[in-house]
Amino acid sequence: DAKTTQPPSMDCAEGRAANLPCNHSTISGNEYVYWYRQIHSQGPQYIIHGLKNNETNEMASLIITEDRKSSTLILPHATLRDTAVYYCIVGMYSGGGADGLTFGKGTHLIIQP
Amino acid sequence: DAGVTQSPTHLIKTRGQQVTLRCSPKSGHDTVSWYQQALGQGPQFIFQYYEEEERQRGNFPDRFSGHQFPNYSSELNVNALLLGDSALYLCASSSEGWDGEQYFGPGTRLTVT
């Protein structure tokens, strides 16, 4: 079973910041938080990942609480192309390439024009 | 760089038959993971291959088997197909150098009738 809890759906206005929450209260010390998204009929796309510190890349920012029990993915300026299902995943890295991921049902983010 | 490629894109089989799906990883990647995604659900991890060995396995029966070739490409085999095996089968690749990202292919849509 997935180790994360996400709202099933969210709306956001185009051009505004989209903030997607995720609860992972049972996360262990060596588990990472990953975010992927899946646009309809395509394979999932990696967004960002982190262990303890906040992370930022060209797509998004990841804010992890100090106790690591929750996190927020931030898309700073949402566009219509950001409409997708967003998955928050907790998992380990044990070497030899990223471990198999346990996906939940994710959050369906709808960007409104 | 072609990214992760999968073949075929669509496939229709009859209950009881066997099927083989193929995946070529992103250039430079040596680890291949397979996922099953039923309609309306998140992807479920089947297994992962690294150095031609099954390294991790999810909660799938032995009817699901795989292989990795010396060029890192991989096959997923499913025997004795059931109606419930109808799904999108996704392949993802990553590298031992791991940047936290698994690259997913577009998937193979399998329909079992």
Side-chain angles (χ1 to χ4, degrees):
Chain A
D1 291 343
K3 300 179 182 179
T4 62
T5 304
Q6 300 178 253
S9 65
M10 294 180 62
D11 289 347
C12 179
E14 188 177 18
R16 305 297 291 269
N19 295 273
L20 291 89
C22 179
N23 287 319
H24 32 80
S25 60
T26 62
I27 191 171
S28 63
N30 55 357
E31 288 184 311
Y32 290 77
V33 179
Y34 303 86
W35 283 84
Y36 281 75
R37 72 180 184 184
Q38 188 171 26
I39 296 170
H40 184 61
S41 298
Q42 299 182 18
Q45 176 191 24
Y46 167 85
I47 301 173
I48 200 166
H49 76 283
L51 182 61
K52 296 180 180 179
N53 300 321
N54 298 336
E55 302 287 345
T56 296
N57 63 20
E58 65 279 3
M59 287 184 67
S61 294
L62 172 60
I63 308 298
I64 303 174
T65 58
E66 191 169 348
D67 64 7
R68 301 186 72 237
K69 292 185 177 181
S70 66
S71 60
T72 301
L73 177 74
I74 302 171
L75 307 178
H77 305 288
T79 71
L80 297 179
R81 288 178 294 180
D82 292 323
T83 292
V85 177
Y86 287 76
Y87 296 100
C88 170
I89 301 162
V90 165
M92 291 177 57
Y93 169 58
S94 57
D99 283 18
L101 300 171
T102 301
F103 287 77
K105 294 187 176 180
T107 295
H108 187 195
L109 175 66
I110 300 172
I111 306 301
Q112 305 282 1
Chain B
D1 183 3
V4 178
T5 60
Q6 293 186 244
S7 63
T9 55
H10 296 85
L11 200 54
I12 300 175
K13 289 287 189 178
T14 304
R15 274 181 302 175
Q17 286 187 319
Q18 180 264 345
V19 68
T20 298
L21 310 182
R22 296 175 176 81
C23 171
S24 291
K26 181 179 169 64
S27 177
H29 284 183
D30 56 12
T31 302
V32 174
S33 301
W34 287 92
Y35 294 81
Q36 179 195 66
Q37 185 172 25
L39 203 59
Q41 303 296 317
Q44 299 300 304
F45 174 66
I46 303 174
F47 45 54
Q48 183 180 88
Y49 276 84
Y50 173 65
E51 293 187 339
E52 302 181 48
E53 299 277 340
E54 184 182 291
R55 191 172 78 96
Q56 297 178 353
R57 189 177 182 94
N59 187 26
F60 278 80
D62 292 344
R63 297 187 298 109
F64 290 78
S65 63
H67 187 78
Q68 186 178 34
F69 299 94
N71 68 352
Y72 307 121
S73 67
S74 176
E75 288 182 348
L76 164 66
N77 301 295
V78 187
N79 294 323
L81 284 167
L82 304 174
L83 295 179
D85 294 331
S86 295
L88 180 68
Y89 288 85
L90 295 159
C91 169
S93 73
S94 57
S95 70
E96 189 177 4
W98 186 66
D99 55 4
E101 179 172 359
Q102 292 194 30
Y103 290 78
F104 283 80
T108 293
R109 172 71 62 187
L110 173 65
T111 301
V112 182
T113 62

mmCIF file of all heavy atoms in Angstrom, chain A residues 42-75:
data_model
loop_
_atom_site.group_PDB
_atom_site.id
_atom_site.type_symbol
_atom_site.label_atom_id
_atom_site.label_comp_id
_atom_site.label_asym_id
_atom_site.label_seq_id
_atom_site.Cartn_x
_atom_site.Cartn_y
_atom_site.Cartn_z
ATOM 1 N N GLN A 42 -0.044 9.272 -20.986
ATOM 2 C CA GLN A 42 1.414 9.253 -21.110
ATOM 3 C C GLN A 42 2.027 8.535 -19.913
ATOM 4 O O GLN A 42 1.361 8.309 -18.900
ATOM 5 C CB GLN A 42 1.960 10.681 -21.183
ATOM 6 C CG GLN A 42 1.470 11.490 -22.373
ATOM 7 C CD GLN A 42 2.081 12.868 -22.412
ATOM 8 O OE1 GLN A 42 3.097 13.141 -21.781
ATOM 9 N NE2 GLN A 42 1.445 13.768 -23.146
ATOM 10 N N GLY A 43 3.305 8.182 -20.004
ATOM 11 C CA GLY A 43 4.014 7.626 -18.866
ATOM 12 C C GLY A 43 4.279 8.703 -17.828
ATOM 13 O O GLY A 43 4.350 9.883 -18.149
ATOM 14 N N PRO A 44 4.419 8.320 -16.557
ATOM 15 C CA PRO A 44 4.738 9.315 -15.516
ATOM 16 C C PRO A 44 6.031 10.053 -15.818
ATOM 17 O O PRO A 44 6.943 9.518 -16.443
ATOM 18 C CB PRO A 44 4.866 8.462 -14.250
ATOM 19 C CG PRO A 44 4.045 7.249 -14.525
ATOM 20 C CD PRO A 44 4.215 6.988 -15.995
ATOM 21 N N GLN A 45 6.086 11.293 -15.345
ATOM 22 C CA GLN A 45 7.248 12.150 -15.550
ATOM 23 C C GLN A 45 7.781 12.581 -14.191
ATOM 24 O O GLN A 45 7.019 13.060 -13.339
ATOM 25 C CB GLN A 45 6.840 13.383 -16.364
ATOM 26 C CG GLN A 45 7.946 14.400 -16.557
ATOM 27 C CD GLN A 45 7.441 15.718 -17.135
ATOM 28 O OE1 GLN A 45 6.263 16.060 -16.998
ATOM 29 N NE2 GLN A 45 8.320 16.471 -17.764
ATOM 30 N N TYR A 46 9.063 12.412 -13.988
ATOM 31 C CA TYR A 46 9.714 12.835 -12.746
ATOM 32 C C TYR A 46 9.651 14.348 -12.611
ATOM 33 O O TYR A 46 9.824 15.091 -13.582
ATOM 34 C CB TYR A 46 11.164 12.374 -12.757
ATOM 35 C CG TYR A 46 12.051 12.993 -11.695
ATOM 36 C CD1 TYR A 46 12.104 12.459 -10.410
ATOM 37 C CD2 TYR A 46 12.841 14.088 -11.996
ATOM 38 C CE1 TYR A 46 12.938 13.017 -9.448
ATOM 39 C CE2 TYR A 46 13.667 14.647 -11.046
ATOM 40 C CZ TYR A 46 13.717 14.112 -9.773
ATOM 41 O OH TYR A 46 14.531 14.663 -8.823
ATOM 42 N N ILE A 47 9.391 14.820 -11.369
ATOM 43 C CA ILE A 47 9.406 16.261 -11.123
ATOM 44 C C ILE A 47 10.572 16.630 -10.229
ATOM 45 O O ILE A 47 11.419 17.446 -10.592
ATOM 46 C CB ILE A 47 8.086 16.726 -10.471
ATOM 47 C CG1 ILE A 47 6.885 16.382 -11.360
ATOM 48 C CG2 ILE A 47 8.136 18.226 -10.187
ATOM 49 C CD1 ILE A 47 5.547 16.661 -10.696
ATOM 50 N N ILE A 48 10.640 16.020 -9.051
ATOM 51 C CA ILE A 48 11.620 16.435 -8.054
ATOM 52 C C ILE A 48 11.681 15.391 -6.953
ATOM 53 O O ILE A 48 10.757 14.577 -6.810
ATOM 54 C CB ILE A 48 11.239 17.834 -7.493
ATOM 55 C CG1 ILE A 48 12.431 18.542 -6.824
ATOM 56 C CG2 ILE A 48 10.036 17.740 -6.566
ATOM 57 C CD1 ILE A 48 12.181 20.021 -6.569
ATOM 58 N N HIS A 49 12.755 15.368 -6.176
ATOM 59 C CA HIS A 49 12.807 14.504 -5.016
ATOM 60 C C HIS A 49 13.657 15.161 -3.936
ATOM 61 O O HIS A 49 14.451 16.070 -4.219
ATOM 62 C CB HIS A 49 13.366 13.117 -5.363
ATOM 63 C CG HIS A 49 14.852 13.088 -5.565
ATOM 64 N ND1 HIS A 49 15.443 13.544 -6.720
ATOM 65 C CD2 HIS A 49 15.851 12.666 -4.762
ATOM 66 C CE1 HIS A 49 16.751 13.397 -6.628
ATOM 67 N NE2 HIS A 49 17.031 12.870 -5.452
ATOM 68 N N GLY A 50 13.500 14.686 -2.692
ATOM 69 C CA GLY A 50 14.274 15.227 -1.587
ATOM 70 C C GLY A 50 14.309 14.271 -0.415
ATOM 71 O O GLY A 50 13.472 13.369 -0.306
ATOM 72 N N LEU A 51 15.278 14.483 0.463
ATOM 73 C CA LEU A 51 15.409 13.647 1.657
ATOM 74 C C LEU A 51 15.028 14.438 2.907
ATOM 75 O O LEU A 51 14.121 14.067 3.628
ATOM 76 C CB LEU A 51 16.847 13.134 1.775
ATOM 77 C CG LEU A 51 17.141 12.195 2.946
ATOM 78 C CD1 LEU A 51 16.299 10.942 2.840
ATOM 79 C CD2 LEU A 51 18.628 11.856 3.010
ATOM 80 N N LYS A 52 15.721 15.527 3.164
ATOM 81 C CA LYS A 52 15.437 16.340 4.355
ATOM 82 C C LYS A 52 15.293 17.820 3.998
ATOM 83 O O LYS A 52 14.431 18.512 4.530
ATOM 84 C CB LYS A 52 16.561 16.202 5.384
ATOM 85 C CG LYS A 52 16.730 14.813 5.943
ATOM 86 C CD LYS A 52 17.869 14.778 6.952
ATOM 87 C CE LYS A 52 18.058 13.382 7.520
ATOM 88 N NZ LYS A 52 19.192 13.332 8.484
ATOM 89 N N ASN A 53 16.137 18.275 3.090
ATOM 90 C CA ASN A 53 16.168 19.703 2.774
ATOM 91 C C ASN A 53 15.157 20.045 1.687
ATOM 92 O O ASN A 53 14.740 19.194 0.918
ATOM 93 C CB ASN A 53 17.561 20.104 2.300
ATOM 94 C CG ASN A 53 18.615 19.843 3.354
ATOM 95 O OD1 ASN A 53 18.371 20.058 4.532
ATOM 96 N ND2 ASN A 53 19.765 19.375 2.919
ATOM 97 N N ASN A 54 14.764 21.307 1.661
ATOM 98 C CA ASN A 54 13.926 21.783 0.566
ATOM 99 C C ASN A 54 14.733 21.755 -0.728
ATOM 100 O O ASN A 54 15.955 21.938 -0.719
ATOM 101 C CB ASN A 54 13.444 23.202 0.867
ATOM 102 C CG ASN A 54 12.591 23.262 2.126
ATOM 103 O OD1 ASN A 54 12.003 22.260 2.525
ATOM 104 N ND2 ASN A 54 12.533 24.419 2.743
ATOM 105 N N GLU A 55 14.047 21.485 -1.813
ATOM 106 C CA GLU A 55 14.707 21.368 -3.108
ATOM 107 C C GLU A 55 13.968 22.208 -4.137
ATOM 108 O O GLU A 55 12.747 22.378 -4.049
ATOM 109 C CB GLU A 55 14.735 19.905 -3.575
ATOM 110 C CG GLU A 55 15.413 18.940 -2.633
ATOM 111 C CD GLU A 55 16.931 19.069 -2.611
ATOM 112 O OE1 GLU A 55 17.482 19.711 -3.518
ATOM 113 O OE2 GLU A 55 17.552 18.527 -1.671
ATOM 114 N N THR A 56 14.719 22.703 -5.113
ATOM 115 C CA THR A 56 14.131 23.473 -6.213
ATOM 116 C C THR A 56 14.823 23.092 -7.504
ATOM 117 O O THR A 56 16.040 22.904 -7.529
ATOM 118 C CB THR A 56 14.285 24.988 -5.965
ATOM 119 O OG1 THR A 56 13.539 25.356 -4.798
ATOM 120 C CG2 THR A 56 13.754 25.789 -7.152
ATOM 121 N N ASN A 57 14.041 22.942 -8.561
ATOM 122 C CA ASN A 57 14.605 22.788 -9.896
ATOM 123 C C ASN A 57 13.790 23.628 -10.864
ATOM 124 O O ASN A 57 12.967 24.458 -10.439
ATOM 125 C CB ASN A 57 14.678 21.309 -10.300
ATOM 126 C CG ASN A 57 13.324 20.645 -10.402
ATOM 127 O OD1 ASN A 57 12.292 21.306 -10.537
ATOM 128 N ND2 ASN A 57 13.312 19.329 -10.325
ATOM 129 N N GLU A 58 14.019 23.427 -12.146
ATOM 130 C CA GLU A 58 13.368 24.277 -13.142
ATOM 131 C C GLU A 58 11.870 24.051 -13.216
ATOM 132 O O GLU A 58 11.139 24.875 -13.752
ATOM 133 C CB GLU A 58 14.003 24.065 -14.513
ATOM 134 C CG GLU A 58 13.808 22.679 -15.101
ATOM 135 C CD GLU A 58 14.777 21.651 -14.553
ATOM 136 O OE1 GLU A 58 15.572 22.000 -13.673
ATOM 137 O OE2 GLU A 58 14.722 20.492 -15.014
ATOM 138 N N MET A 59 11.389 22.952 -12.679
ATOM 139 C CA MET A 59 9.961 22.654 -12.758
ATOM 140 C C MET A 59 9.208 23.068 -11.506
ATOM 141 O O MET A 59 8.063 23.536 -11.592
ATOM 142 C CB MET A 59 9.734 21.160 -12.969
ATOM 143 C CG MET A 59 10.054 20.637 -14.347
ATOM 144 S SD MET A 59 9.640 18.886 -14.492
ATOM 145 C CE MET A 59 7.868 18.935 -14.358
ATOM 146 N N ALA A 60 9.817 22.839 -10.333
ATOM 147 C CA ALA A 60 9.039 22.979 -9.107
ATOM 148 C C ALA A 60 9.947 23.138 -7.897
ATOM 149 O O ALA A 60 11.159 23.007 -7.989
ATOM 150 C CB ALA A 60 8.171 21.731 -8.920
ATOM 151 N N SER A 61 9.297 23.387 -6.759
ATOM 152 C CA SER A 61 9.976 23.399 -5.462
ATOM 153 C C SER A 61 9.323 22.355 -4.567
ATOM 154 O O SER A 61 8.106 22.134 -4.655
ATOM 155 C CB SER A 61 9.885 24.774 -4.799
ATOM 156 O OG SER A 61 10.588 25.741 -5.537
ATOM 157 N N LEU A 62 10.145 21.740 -3.722
ATOM 158 C CA LEU A 62 9.666 20.752 -2.765
ATOM 159 C C LEU A 62 10.000 21.253 -1.369
ATOM 160 O O LEU A 62 11.175 21.487 -1.062
ATOM 161 C CB LEU A 62 10.321 19.392 -3.023
ATOM 162 C CG LEU A 62 10.062 18.292 -2.001
ATOM 163 C CD1 LEU A 62 8.572 17.986 -1.900
ATOM 164 C CD2 LEU A 62 10.842 17.033 -2.372
ATOM 165 N N ILE A 63 8.956 21.416 -0.562
ATOM 166 C CA ILE A 63 9.126 21.850 0.818
ATOM 167 C C ILE A 63 8.800 20.669 1.736
ATOM 168 O O ILE A 63 7.683 20.137 1.688
ATOM 169 C CB ILE A 63 8.195 23.035 1.158
ATOM 170 C CG1 ILE A 63 8.352 24.156 0.120
ATOM 171 C CG2 ILE A 63 8.478 23.538 2.575
ATOM 172 C CD1 ILE A 63 9.729 24.750 0.050
ATOM 173 N N ILE A 64 9.774 20.227 2.531
ATOM 174 C CA ILE A 64 9.597 19.108 3.458
ATOM 175 C C ILE A 64 9.613 19.661 4.877
ATOM 176 O O ILE A 64 10.534 20.406 5.242
ATOM 177 C CB ILE A 64 10.712 18.053 3.280
ATOM 178 C CG1 ILE A 64 10.735 17.545 1.831
ATOM 179 C CG2 ILE A 64 10.508 16.880 4.245
ATOM 180 C CD1 ILE A 64 11.897 16.607 1.522
ATOM 181 N N THR A 65 8.620 19.301 5.682
ATOM 182 C CA THR A 65 8.577 19.791 7.056
ATOM 183 C C THR A 65 9.749 19.230 7.859
ATOM 184 O O THR A 65 10.341 18.204 7.502
ATOM 185 C CB THR A 65 7.256 19.416 7.737
ATOM 186 O OG1 THR A 65 7.106 17.985 7.710
ATOM 187 C CG2 THR A 65 6.076 20.058 7.034
ATOM 188 N N GLU A 66 10.063 19.895 8.939
ATOM 189 C CA GLU A 66 11.235 19.514 9.732
ATOM 190 C C GLU A 66 11.114 18.088 10.271
ATOM 191 O O GLU A 66 12.108 17.363 10.355
ATOM 192 C CB GLU A 66 11.425 20.493 10.892
ATOM 193 C CG GLU A 66 12.749 20.344 11.621
ATOM 194 C CD GLU A 66 13.019 21.472 12.584
ATOM 195 O OE1 GLU A 66 12.304 22.496 12.536
ATOM 196 O OE2 GLU A 66 13.942 21.317 13.396
ATOM 197 N N ASP A 67 9.900 17.678 10.645
ATOM 198 C CA ASP A 67 9.719 16.306 11.139
ATOM 199 C C ASP A 67 9.559 15.291 10.010
ATOM 200 O O ASP A 67 9.403 14.098 10.255
ATOM 201 C CB ASP A 67 8.520 16.224 12.095
ATOM 202 C CG ASP A 67 7.197 16.553 11.420
ATOM 203 O OD1 ASP A 67 7.173 16.724 10.170
ATOM 204 O OD2 ASP A 67 6.189 16.660 12.125
ATOM 205 N N ARG A 68 9.582 15.764 8.766
ATOM 206 C CA ARG A 68 9.502 14.951 7.543
ATOM 207 C C ARG A 68 8.179 14.215 7.391
ATOM 208 O O ARG A 68 8.076 13.321 6.563
ATOM 209 C CB ARG A 68 10.665 13.950 7.484
ATOM 210 C CG ARG A 68 12.033 14.607 7.513
ATOM 211 C CD ARG A 68 13.144 13.589 7.310
ATOM 212 N NE ARG A 68 13.174 13.114 5.940
ATOM 213 C CZ ARG A 68 13.064 11.847 5.579
ATOM 214 N NH1 ARG A 68 12.909 10.908 6.491
ATOM 215 N NH2 ARG A 68 13.104 11.514 4.296
ATOM 216 N N LYS A 69 7.173 14.558 8.142
ATOM 217 C CA LYS A 69 5.911 13.833 8.066
ATOM 218 C C LYS A 69 4.995 14.378 6.983
ATOM 219 O O LYS A 69 3.932 13.801 6.715
ATOM 220 C CB LYS A 69 5.217 13.863 9.422
ATOM 221 C CG LYS A 69 5.962 13.054 10.477
ATOM 222 C CD LYS A 69 5.196 12.996 11.780
ATOM 223 C CE LYS A 69 5.932 12.122 12.788
ATOM 224 N NZ LYS A 69 5.206 12.009 14.070
ATOM 225 N N SER A 70 5.347 15.477 6.376
ATOM 226 C CA SER A 70 4.549 15.995 5.269
ATOM 227 C C SER A 70 5.420 16.842 4.356
ATOM 228 O O SER A 70 6.538 17.243 4.735
ATOM 229 C CB SER A 70 3.362 16.820 5.782
ATOM 230 O OG SER A 70 3.814 17.981 6.425
ATOM 231 N N SER A 71 4.905 17.066 3.156
ATOM 232 C CA SER A 71 5.637 17.888 2.199
ATOM 233 C C SER A 71 4.641 18.599 1.285
ATOM 234 O O SER A 71 3.447 18.238 1.239
ATOM 235 C CB SER A 71 6.605 17.044 1.369
ATOM 236 O OG SER A 71 5.936 16.042 0.625
ATOM 237 N N THR A 72 5.132 19.594 0.571
ATOM 238 C CA THR A 72 4.326 20.348 -0.376
ATOM 239 C C THR A 72 5.108 20.526 -1.657
ATOM 240 O O THR A 72 6.277 20.931 -1.618
ATOM 241 C CB THR A 72 3.943 21.730 0.180
ATOM 242 O OG1 THR A 72 3.210 21.573 1.392
ATOM 243 C CG2 THR A 72 3.089 22.498 -0.830
ATOM 244 N N LEU A 73 4.475 20.207 -2.759
ATOM 245 C CA LEU A 73 5.053 20.482 -4.072
ATOM 246 C C LEU A 73 4.493 21.807 -4.552
ATOM 247 O O LEU A 73 3.272 22.013 -4.529
ATOM 248 C CB LEU A 73 4.689 19.380 -5.067
ATOM 249 C CG LEU A 73 5.191 19.602 -6.492
ATOM 250 C CD1 LEU A 73 6.693 19.343 -6.565
ATOM 251 C CD2 LEU A 73 4.442 18.703 -7.482
ATOM 252 N N ILE A 74 5.359 22.690 -5.005
ATOM 253 C CA ILE A 74 4.923 24.002 -5.475
ATOM 254 C C ILE A 74 5.287 24.173 -6.945
ATOM 255 O O ILE A 74 6.463 24.071 -7.315
ATOM 256 C CB ILE A 74 5.567 25.140 -4.650
ATOM 257 C CG1 ILE A 74 5.216 24.984 -3.172
ATOM 258 C CG2 ILE A 74 5.107 26.501 -5.168
ATOM 259 C CD1 ILE A 74 5.970 25.935 -2.251
ATOM 260 N N LEU A 75 4.259 24.390 -7.770
ATOM 261 C CA LEU A 75 4.469 24.794 -9.162
ATOM 262 C C LEU A 75 4.294 26.302 -9.175
ATOM 263 O O LEU A 75 3.175 26.791 -9.004
ATOM 264 C CB LEU A 75 3.458 24.115 -10.080
ATOM 265 C CG LEU A 75 3.352 22.593 -9.994
ATOM 266 C CD1 LEU A 75 2.275 22.085 -10.944
ATOM 267 C CD2 LEU A 75 4.687 21.946 -10.287
#
